[in-house]
């Protein structure tokens, strides 16, 4: 059974840091493009970062330079380091495994985690 379980969310003040983890089971992440999405209240879920099997990474402009995605294939775990957090980073953060080759193209029917809440206060 495929499962993704996020952890590490919480409440921090502006400028603070958090490290999100996503533990995978039921499949091996090393051959998948893995990504982090977030969904703020009243907004659509958006892809903010992804990492491919060759450790190539992409970031959306709003998080580039502040967030760092990484993967530990031995632990079958995906991470997202969040630094210099801003109130606009407040959202539920989801990890996902893309079905299909590479990180380009649509994320159609990915494997989803249940999400972890990140709240940043000013």
């Amino acid at each position: 059974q495929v499962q993704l379980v996020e952890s590490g969310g919480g409440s921090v003040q502006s400028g603070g840091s958090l490290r999100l983890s996503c533990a995978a089971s039921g499949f091996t992440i090393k051959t998948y493009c893995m990504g982090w999405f977030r969904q703020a209240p009243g907004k659509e879920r958006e892809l903010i970062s992804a990492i491919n099997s060759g450790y190539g990474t992409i970031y959306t402009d709003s998080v580039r330079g502040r967030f760092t995605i990484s993967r530990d294939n031995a632990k079958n775990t995906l991470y997202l380091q969040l630094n210099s957090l801003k109130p606009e980073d407040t959202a539920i953060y989801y990890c996902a495994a893309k079905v299909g080759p590479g990180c380009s193209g649509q994320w159609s029917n990915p494997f989803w985690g249940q999400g972890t809440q990140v709240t940043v206060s000013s």
Side-chain angles (χ1 to χ4, degrees):
Q1 180 181 355
V2 171
Q3 193 171 17
L4 295 169
V5 179
E6 300 97 333
S7 61
S11 297
V12 297
Q13 291 191 328
S14 183
S17 297
L18 288 171
R19 189 192 194 205
L20 307 184
S21 299
C22 172
S25 59
F27 74 107
T28 303
I29 69 168
K30 66 179 181 180
T31 61
Y32 284 79
C33 173
M34 300 294 297
W36 287 97
F37 289 70
R38 69 183 180 187
Q39 188 166 18
K43 294 188 177 181
E44 293 187 355
R45 192 174 300 189
E46 62 169 341
L47 176 66
I48 58 170
S49 184
I51 183 168
N52 63 25
S53 59
Y55 296 89
T57 58
I58 59 171
Y59 297 93
T60 193
D61 287 347
S62 61
V63 308
R64 186 176 294 111
R66 299 187 299 121
F67 294 3
T68 303
I69 191 170
S70 61
R71 62 197 298 163
D72 186 331
N73 290 337
K75 295 183 178 180
N76 218 31
T77 299
L78 178 73
Y79 301 98
L80 187 68
Q81 179 69 40
L82 291 69
N83 295 331
S84 303
L85 282 161
K86 305 175 182 180
E88 51 263 43
D89 294 318
T90 295
I92 300 174
Y93 284 70
Y94 300 88
C95 71
K98 184 176 180 288
V99 178
C103 286
S104 60
Q106 294 293 319
W107 287 63
S108 301
N109 299 315
F111 302 139
W112 289 109
Q114 84 288 349
T116 186
Q117 177 72 47
V118 171
T119 303
V120 185
S121 58
S122 58

